[in-house]
Amino acid sequence: MKVMKFGGTSVGKPERMHGVAKLITRDNESAIVVLSALSGTTNLLVNISEGLASNERSDARQKIDQLEAQYMQFVEDLLQTDVAKEKAKKYLAEHFEFLNIILKISFSEALNKDILAQGELMSTRLFSVYLEEQGINHVLLPALEFMQIDAYEEPQIGNIKVKLSQLINANSGQTLFITQGYICRNSKGEVDNLKRGGSDYSASLIAAAINASVCEIWTDIDGMHNNDPRVVEKTIPIEQLSFDEAAELAYFGAKILHPASIWPAQHFNIPVKLLNTMDPEARGTIILQEAGSVGIKAMAAKDGIVAIKIKSSRMLLAYGFLRKIFEVFEKYRTSIDMITTSEVAVSLTIDSKQFLPEILKELEAFGSVEIDDNQTIVSIVGNEIAKTPDIMKRLFDSISNIPVRMVSYGGSKHNISLLIPAEYKVQTLQLLNKGVFGL
Ligand code: ASP
Ligand code: MG
């Protein structure tokens, strides 16, 4: 059995949904199909929820009406028969009735999660009605019945496995299952989610839970590219990546795959394929334990980084200094991306400003603290990077005019990271594309 996940743009138009139905019935292998919400829906639900939280109810109502009109039109174009259209509209009415009731009650965090869940609930229901109209036999599996996170928001893979196999076994003889990405239940049994972009994570968890033959992530680009196609003109798809390489790329900004989705596939050794709904025959990218080849494969950039420098003569010849600094970040549950040290100073980067004032205040006890805001990490990823001839020379020669703030090399065999001011990102990616890939 395989897992096939389709993102928001792959289901965002009626004709794209028709295409998905073709793709999932192309071969005979049984499949669990994981769908995102239609593109734009989750963003709009976030807006609606924020509107309610800040008591701008008429604005929220207007957005709900806008969404409803959009979905009603979608049904008209998705389906052919009046019976199917009626059925779909009846389902949608339930979801919009729910949203309209919410307008009248006081806002809470639990309610927020309920609102956000509507996107995937609607997309899967619509798709299911379409499959039914086409006479395609399938079962709609409610993710809320098997996808579960604990009090630390960690997926409970053991439970997921047990519940999912029960559901599959209860439908013996069935070979096509449709389910929602992104949504889950938390430790209190409430509706929750795996964070934005979390449908990839759902797919990978499901693949791990059923020991799938492959986890296919279908998007609108033919695999992971060597550089950001939105920024750099000439980019090429990468044929094969190791899980470690893919994790570095996803974490450091490649938007095609949610970074958390790597570990379940890696741990349970499930191959991941990144494929293109617009060009299903394209080879895409396969992610396996093995890297396939030695050398640099790709680069990615991550924005919104803050660099913090702590300078202290007490660090000179002292031990335990770094531990004390790390403890501050641990206390505020803020993860550190890059770190470099000199004898009297340490610089590190974080990607969340949520607790920045508190962190800075506590760090001041250790020395003078300076921050550089609006930084970008550019990560160059590959296998055994150090074995690439002249790599450091080529890299720095090609960006000799860029004011590099930090360099991280040797942390793993797969990564060289540079910290640069955000305004140099585009230029840096373009220069490196030429200097390193010759493109
Ligand atoms: N619909 C959710 C989002 O937009 C999850 C996903 O698409 O992966 O974040
Ligand atoms: Mg996505």
Side-chain angles (χ1 to χ4, degrees):
M1 189 178 259
K2 66 177 172 179
V3 171
M4 303 174 84
K5 179 257 167 181
F6 295 87
T9 47
S10 302
V11 291
K13 294 209 168 80
E15 61 272 24
R16 306 289 303 268
M17 234 186 215
H18 297 161
V20 171
K22 285 208 183 75
L23 286 172
I24 62 173
T25 48
R26 277 205 307 182
D27 59 29
N28 289 328
E29 185 171 4
S30 55
I32 299 188
V33 176
V34 180
L35 300 189
S36 289
L38 313 196
S39 53
T41 296
T42 311
N43 284 345
L44 206 59
L45 292 169
V46 168
N47 289 339
I48 291 169
S49 198
E50 284 169 355
L52 290 175
S54 54
N55 229 348
E56 286 152 17
R57 279 168 199 267
S58 67
D59 188 49
R61 179 182 301 271
Q62 201 190 329
K63 291 203 169 96
I64 293 172
D65 290 345
Q66 177 195 335
L67 200 63
E68 186 165 5
Q70 182 198 328
Y71 272 74
M72 291 304 164
Q73 186 55 49
F74 193 94
V75 164
E76 288 298 329
D77 302 331
L78 177 73
L79 303 163
Q80 280 163 12
T81 65
D82 288 341
V83 180
K85 285 180 190 176
E86 276 317 301
K87 190 167 185 177
K89 285 181 180 172
K90 207 173 123 243
Y91 283 148
L92 290 178
E94 285 173 26
H95 294 277
F96 285 101
E97 199 179 299
F98 169 76
L99 289 173
N100 280 309
I101 288 172
I102 279 182
L103 276 175
K104 299 188 188 100
I105 49 187
S106 59
F107 184 82
S108 68
E109 192 42 42
L111 215 48
N112 171 40
K113 303 283 175 63
D114 266 316
I115 295 171
L116 299 185
Q118 300 308 308
E120 272 69 12
L121 290 171
M122 291 197 285
S123 66
T124 46
R125 269 188 144 175
L126 289 179
F127 188 57
S128 174
V129 175
Y130 174 65
L131 291 181
E132 199 178 291
E133 187 185 51
Q134 295 299 306
I136 298 169
N137 204 7
H138 68 283
V139 177
L140 190 55
L141 288 181
L144 296 178
E145 284 181 22
F146 65 85
M147 194 52 81
Q148 221 186 321
I149 53 174
D150 64 15
Y152 301 98
E153 302 184 336
E154 290 297 329
Q156 301 209 285
I157 189 85
N159 281 358
I160 296 170
K161 214 173 180 148
V162 172
K163 291 189 175 164
L164 191 52
S165 30
Q166 279 169 357
L167 287 170
I168 292 171
N169 291 339
N171 289 287
S172 68
Q174 294 287 348
T175 54
L176 185 60
F177 298 90
I178 314 296
T179 193
Q180 300 85 18
Y182 180 58
I183 61 174
C184 62
R185 283 197 192 274
N186 62 26
S187 59
K188 293 184 236 159
E190 299 160 344
V191 173
D192 210 318
N193 61 62
L194 300 176
K195 308 265 162 66
R196 294 305 307 274
S199 291
D200 296 340
Y201 198 12
S202 302
S204 161
L205 288 163
I206 292 169
I210 62 162
N211 195 23
S213 61
V214 59
C215 178
E216 296 179 351
I217 307 283
W218 290 83
T219 61
D220 51 4
I221 179 167
D222 52 346
M224 184 90 84
H225 278 221
N226 73 307
N227 206 330
D228 189 337
R230 294 162 304 179
V231 174
V232 176
E233 216 177 288
K234 276 194 222 150
T235 62
I236 42 169
I238 310 162
E239 255 176 58
Q240 183 174 336
L241 285 170
S242 68
F243 287 116
D244 288 335
E245 292 170 334
E248 305 259 19
L249 283 172
Y251 185 74
F252 286 115
K255 287 283 176 303
I256 182 167
L257 193 64
H258 190 283
S261 60
I262 307 287
W263 77 260
Q266 179 163 29
H267 190 76
F268 292 88
N269 203 9
I270 315 285
V272 175
K273 274 188 187 169
L274 308 178
L275 297 163
N276 186 0
T277 33
M278 306 293 265
D279 184 5
E281 303 312 324
R283 193 191 230 141
T285 299
I286 184 155
I287 308 171
L288 301 166
Q289 301 292 6
E290 311 78 38
S293 59
V294 165
I296 292 195
K297 287 194 184 147
M299 54 193 69
K302 185 173 176 180
D303 297 317
I305 306 292
V306 184
I308 304 174
K309 182 168 77 185
I310 306 117
K311 198 171 163 205
S312 166
S313 49
R314 267 186 289 157
M315 193 175 159
L316 195 69
L317 301 176
Y319 54 82
F321 187 80
L322 284 178
R323 178 178 57 78
K324 290 182 198 135
I325 287 176
F326 286 157
E327 272 171 0
V328 175
F329 291 88
E330 188 183 346
K331 180 170 167 193
Y332 293 102
R333 298 184 68 179
T334 299
S335 73
I336 296 167
D337 287 331
M338 280 175 80
I339 172 157
T340 55
T341 63
S342 81
E343 193 45 48
V344 289
V346 50
S347 278
L348 41 81
T349 70
I350 56 175
D351 65 0
S352 158
K353 288 193 209 170
Q354 198 185 352
F355 297 110
L356 188 59
E358 290 88 342
I359 289 172
L360 293 180
K361 193 149 187 276
E362 294 208 18
L363 289 176
E364 271 159 19
F366 303 111
S368 71
V369 181
E370 278 171 37
I371 70 161
D372 288 312
D373 202 351
N374 288 323
Q375 304 286 300
T376 292
I377 295 176
V378 171
S379 270
I380 295 108
V381 172
N383 179 32
E384 312 240 13
I385 277 187
K387 290 192 181 162
T388 310
D390 292 335
I391 179 59
M392 292 308 249
K393 181 172 183 320
R394 263 159 61 202
L395 215 150
F396 284 104
D397 278 353
S398 52
I399 53 165
S400 55
N401 293 328
I402 306 290
V404 176
R405 163 75 178 76
M406 276 168 76
V407 179
S408 172
Y409 173 68
S412 81
K413 289 188 293 187
H414 316 292
N415 179 305
I416 302 169
S417 290
L418 309 170
L419 187 73
I420 54 166
E423 66 261 33
Y424 290 95
K425 169 175 121 172
V426 171
Q427 203 188 345
T428 304
L429 289 177
Q430 287 168 346
L431 288 170
L432 287 173
N433 212 44
K434 251 201 210 104
V436 175
F437 293 107
L439 291 170

